[in-house]
Amino acid sequence: MQNNHAGSILGERDGLRVIDCKACGWAHLETLPDAGELTRFYESRFWQIEKAGALERIEQQHEWWSEIYGDWLELCARHTDGRDLLDVGAGYGFFMDTSKTLGWNPWGIEPSRVACEYADRVLGWQPFNHPWQDWDYSMSFHVVSALWLVEHLPDPLRFLRWAHDQLVPNGVLLSVVPSDFSPVQLRANHEVDRPFWWIDKTHLNYFTPESFANLLGRVGFRIVERSTLFPVEQFLLDGQDYTNNPALGEIIYNGVTHGDLSMTRPERLACYGEMAQRGEGREIVVVAVRGGQDVGL
């Protein structure tokens, strides 16, 4: 990431300020953490402290996660015949597990020792227990996945260039990031008790579909598939303020997952694909083919 960060302030909460950085081409926190401190945080604090309780929720929602992961893998399979997959930021290993069930050959990278121990003990996977920068295997993959990872990185360009280099020619990147400062979010922001609720100290970067597509293009990726997840901010516009009400948030989430599971895979892919083409949805889900070399902008 470049050093001359400057841009208008998009929002602030709890001492965190997000700027629309003209030097970078995407929005990010005005003050970025030290890289070494950030590495230690993800090794020893993120899953253990920051996301305490997340594992239990993921386990409870296993059916829904398996179906959604399967949807995204189906999008990847449309563009590659190979099945070697590298999941970066593998967490507890559930995406790797789903991919194996569907016939992929998954590898993983995860800095958290606790998450890697769970993946090994419960799911039978052993992710590479180091930051992605330490990966030193001489391998190429048909798919590199980065699910809810890029928003956490102090230098997204560096990571995406690295991911580009891990792929076979015409290999694909599957990436998921939150869609933030969207029109529906900004409308809902006037209706909630916690304005700019989506600004989080662990989210360094904030993307729109356009800014994320531009970032991928700079590295040499070409987007071939788009998807998303249900735009839960719609509930805020209906007066259901879950931003400061975890119990209501759980009810809403359960309703959304039930709706997703009531559809077939083709129905979900069509529904969320059409929504993503309109620039709607809570997440930016893209499959991007490795193209030419990084243009270096």
Side-chain angles (χ1 to χ4, degrees):
M1 190 179 288
Q2 302 179 39
N3 294 321
N4 53 334
H5 304 298
S8 58
I9 299 170
L10 296 179
E12 52 187 311
R13 183 173 74 85
D14 297 339
L16 302 171
R17 179 179 289 176
V18 176
I19 62 170
D20 184 14
C21 185
K22 301 307 179 185
C24 293
W26 66 88
H28 59 74
L29 291 183
E30 184 176 47
T31 302
L32 296 169
D34 173 77
E37 177 183 338
L38 198 63
T39 297
R40 292 188 291 273
F41 171 80
Y42 284 105
E43 288 175 341
S44 61
R45 291 182 57 86
F46 180 72
W47 287 113
Q48 297 92 318
I49 299 173
E50 194 69 26
K51 294 295 183 180
L55 175 59
E56 290 74 16
R57 290 192 296 273
I58 295 170
E59 289 176 326
Q60 291 168 2
Q61 300 154 359
H62 183 263
E63 181 185 7
W64 179 79
W65 280 111
S66 294
E67 287 298 311
I68 296 299
Y69 288 159
D71 292 351
W72 298 344
L73 288 163
E74 170 64 25
L75 296 179
C76 293
R78 294 175 180 178
H79 301 278
T80 179
D81 293 328
R83 289 296 182 267
D84 292 330
L85 179 149
L86 177 62
D87 188 27
V88 189
Y92 291 105
F94 290 104
F95 183 71
M96 295 173 64
D97 196 54
T98 297
S99 70
K100 178 65 175 179
T101 300
L102 295 175
W104 295 79
N105 176 34
W107 293 62
I109 300 175
E110 171 54 49
S112 168
R113 176 183 55 80
V114 167
C116 286
E117 288 177 349
Y118 176 93
D120 182 21
R121 184 181 71 255
V122 178
L123 301 178
W125 302 108
Q126 285 187 308
F128 178 72
N129 186 202
H130 296 278
W132 60 268
Q133 299 94 322
D134 294 347
W135 177 264
D136 58 359
Y137 290 83
S138 298
M139 302 178 63
S140 293
F141 294 88
H142 301 97
V143 174
V144 169
S145 54
L147 312 184
W148 292 284
L149 173 67
V150 179
E151 69 271 21
H152 296 274
L153 302 177
D155 193 342
L157 270 172
R158 181 187 175 194
F159 168 75
L160 290 170
R161 287 167 177 153
W162 175 89
H164 187 278
D165 291 343
Q166 308 311 306
L167 288 165
V168 300
N170 298 316
V172 299
L173 171 74
L174 168 64
S175 188
V176 181
V177 297
S179 180
D180 287 321
F181 294 94
S182 65
V184 66
Q185 261 189 345
L186 293 176
R187 290 199 304 273
N189 202 44
H190 300 289
E191 310 294 331
V192 299
D193 291 333
R194 297 176 65 215
F196 297 106
W197 72 93
W198 63 90
I199 297 178
D200 185 274
K201 67 180 180 180
T202 71
H203 288 198
L204 309 186
N205 308 296
Y206 296 80
F207 297 105
T208 65
E210 294 77 17
S211 67
F212 195 58
N214 289 338
L215 175 60
L216 293 174
R218 289 164 63 180
V219 181
F221 284 109
R222 176 174 56 88
I223 295 177
V224 292
E225 300 282 357
R226 294 180 183 271
S227 190
T228 188
L229 291 176
F230 189 86
V232 292
E233 297 95 340
Q234 291 287 351
F235 291 96
L236 301 174
L237 296 176
D238 293 336
Q240 300 182 64
D241 186 1
Y242 58 80
T243 64
N244 210 23
N245 187 337
L248 177 59
E250 183 174 355
I251 292 171
I252 289 173
Y253 186 84
N254 289 339
V256 169
T257 57
H258 178 76
D260 285 344
L261 291 172
S262 71
M263 292 187 281
T264 65
R265 175 154 296 149
E267 288 171 340
R268 278 195 307 274
L269 288 174
C271 173
Y272 285 133
E274 293 170 4
M275 193 178 292
Q277 290 298 329
R278 298 193 299 267
E280 301 172 358
R282 181 63 193 98
E283 315 296 336
I284 301 167
V285 181
V286 299
V287 173
V289 173
R290 171 183 165 160
Q293 297 301 309
D294 178 359
V295 297
L297 297 179

